[in-house]
Amino acid sequence: GGIKSEDAREALANIHSLDRDEWAAAWSAIGERYEKRAESEEASGDKKAAQADYQLAFRYYTVGRWPVPNSPGKEKAYQSALAAFRNYARFLDPPVEVVRVPFEGKDLVLYVRLPKSTKPVPVVMLINGTDSRKEDLIPGNAALLRSGIGMVAVDMPGTGEAPLKAGLGADRMYSRVLDFIATRP
């Protein structure tokens, strides 16, 4: 998952029970350390180091919320993971655009990343699995951009920031994503 073994040992040494919030706190402490370092690096102009440390912060916060944010500490870790990812994604070239699409009184939160082009490009809709999130899909798909293909990442129903729980008919959410894509030049 891209975490460092010495950090994993540190986090695990600070977990002494099956308490979900203890788990979240141990991993989040490491995420916070990388996030603060990234903020300092960004302030001093070292954008490459800041990006790398925001990505590490995202990964540790993600382990803190894993597999689901089902306690206050895990929910806080998840929100921290989202913030760290979005900071990391600002430094990608091309950057990730965070888009909120109205859907049944809520928002569908999408990540749009398009290759640099003056013409329309094909787009692939990326959908996470049950124990991952849309944030996990962006870094590993740079080959799409190099091939002139854009990406729109969305959380599947019942995960992440999806506005619907998993169930019959929840796939209607994807129709709204496709409708949104069709509005883009």
Side-chain angles (χ1 to χ4, degrees), residues 2-152:
I3 63 173
K4 297 178 181 181
S5 58
E6 62 271 17
D7 291 335
R9 280 191 286 280
E10 178 185 337
L12 294 173
N14 290 313
I15 300 170
H16 306 288
S17 73
L18 297 178
D19 182 75
R20 295 171 182 153
D21 290 335
E22 185 177 17
W23 171 272
W27 290 101
S28 293
I30 297 168
E32 187 175 329
R33 187 169 63 225
Y34 281 103
E35 185 175 30
K36 286 182 179 183
R37 191 163 89 184
E39 290 166 353
S40 175
E41 291 160 341
E42 184 175 3
S44 70
D46 190 348
K47 294 179 180 182
K48 185 175 181 178
Q51 180 188 27
D53 282 334
Y54 280 128
Q55 186 177 36
L56 283 169
F58 161 71
R59 289 177 176 161
Y60 292 108
Y61 286 132
T62 294
V63 176
R65 70 100 187 131
W66 194 86
V68 293
N70 58 358
S71 72
K74 285 186 166 205
E75 179 59 36
K76 183 179 177 190
Y78 178 55
Q79 294 305 315
S80 295
L82 290 172
F85 175 81
R86 291 170 185 165
N87 278 321
Y88 155 78
R90 289 184 295 121
F91 294 106
L92 292 173
D93 185 26
V96 172
E97 178 186 358
V98 180
V99 177
R100 294 182 179 279
V101 177
F103 177 77
E104 298 181 8
K106 298 180 182 177
D107 282 340
L108 265 167
V109 180
L110 312 176
Y111 292 145
V112 178
R113 193 162 180 225
L114 302 173
K116 293 177 183 176
S117 176
T118 57
K119 299 177 184 176
V121 298
V123 174
V124 172
M125 182 169 49
L126 304 173
I127 304 166
N128 62 292
T130 56
D131 67 350
S132 64
R133 302 293 179 266
K134 66 188 172 304
E135 294 77 21
D136 300 315
L137 304 173
I138 296 296
N141 282 294
L144 291 172
L145 295 171
R146 288 191 301 274
S147 299
I149 301 169
M151 59 185 90
V152 175

Side-chain angles (χ1 to χ4, degrees), residues 145-166:
L145 295 171
R146 288 191 301 274
S147 299
I149 301 169
M151 59 185 90
V152 175
V154 61
D155 287 312
M156 70 178 272
T159 69
E161 296 180 291
L164 296 177
K165 294 187 182 229

